[in-house]
């Protein structure tokens, strides 16, 4: 009778070991699949929250604002809006006073603000007809 108890315990420990060996990888694979499919997908976000993440606010004359975010290991926010061309320079100086023009710019105006290890913001402005400017802002945490 003593040998039977040892054999039944052996099978229990074998079952626990198999569940641990098989269950953990399956759990990690399921978490990874979810993270890539849901967390890594660009989704619409509230523009006030997106601009708060980018340490700024939409200017008073902003129109056609569209904001998206993508979160997985880092957060990546994109904000697009139009505003009067005459107010762009003042808005940039007020919103990102430490911003610097990048080495190259494929738009009418570009600005980079680097908050060190916490956040990076890139603003690209394209002047349009009718005195408007299309502003494209991207920011991500590192």
């Amino acid at each position: 009778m003593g040998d039977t108890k040892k054999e039944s315990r052996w099978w229990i420990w074998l079952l626990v070991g198999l569940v641990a060996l098989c269950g953990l990888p399956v759990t990690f694979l399921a978490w990874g699949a979810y993270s890539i499919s849901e967390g890594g997908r660009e989704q619409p976000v509230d523009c006030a929250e997106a601009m708060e993440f980018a340490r700024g606010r939409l200017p008073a004359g902003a129109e056609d604002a569209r904001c998206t975010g993508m979160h997985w290991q880092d957060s990546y926010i994109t904000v697009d809006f139009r505003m009067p061309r005459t107010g762009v320079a003042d808005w940039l100086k007020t919103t990102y006073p430490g911003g610097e023009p990048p080495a190259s710019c494929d738009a009418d105006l570009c600005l980079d603000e680097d908050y060190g290890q916490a956040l990076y913001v890139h603003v690209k402005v394209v002047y349009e007809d009718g005195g408007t400017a299309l502003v494209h802002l991207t920011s991500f945490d590192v």
Side-chain angles (χ1 to χ4, degrees), residues 31-43 69-76:
W31 174 79
Y34 171 78
S35 296
I36 291 170
S37 68
E38 293 297 320
R41 186 169 17 132
E42 194 172 74
Q43 300 176 8
M70 182 172 42
H71 306 284
W72 191 52
Q73 292 179 346
D74 300 327
S75 293
Y76 185 83

Side-chain angles (χ1 to χ4, degrees), residues 7-87:
E7 285 181 20
S8 65
R9 287 183 190 159
W10 179 80
W11 285 103
I12 291 172
W13 285 113
L14 178 65
L15 183 62
V16 168
L18 284 173
V19 168
L21 286 175
C22 296
L24 287 176
V26 168
T27 301
F28 286 126
L29 287 172
W31 174 79
Y34 171 78
S35 296
I36 291 170
S37 68
E38 293 297 320
R41 186 169 17 132
E42 194 172 74
Q43 300 176 8
V45 296
D46 179 69
C47 285
E49 291 177 14
M51 286 302 297
E52 184 178 323
F53 176 83
R55 298 189 183 177
R57 287 185 294 161
L58 286 174
E63 297 177 351
D64 304 326
R66 289 178 309 278
C67 303
T68 59
M70 182 172 42
H71 306 284
W72 191 52
Q73 292 179 346
D74 300 327
S75 293
Y76 185 83
I77 300 293
T78 301
V79 179
D80 293 304
F81 62 91
R82 287 184 170 78
M83 68 178 292
R85 184 188 302 192
T86 56

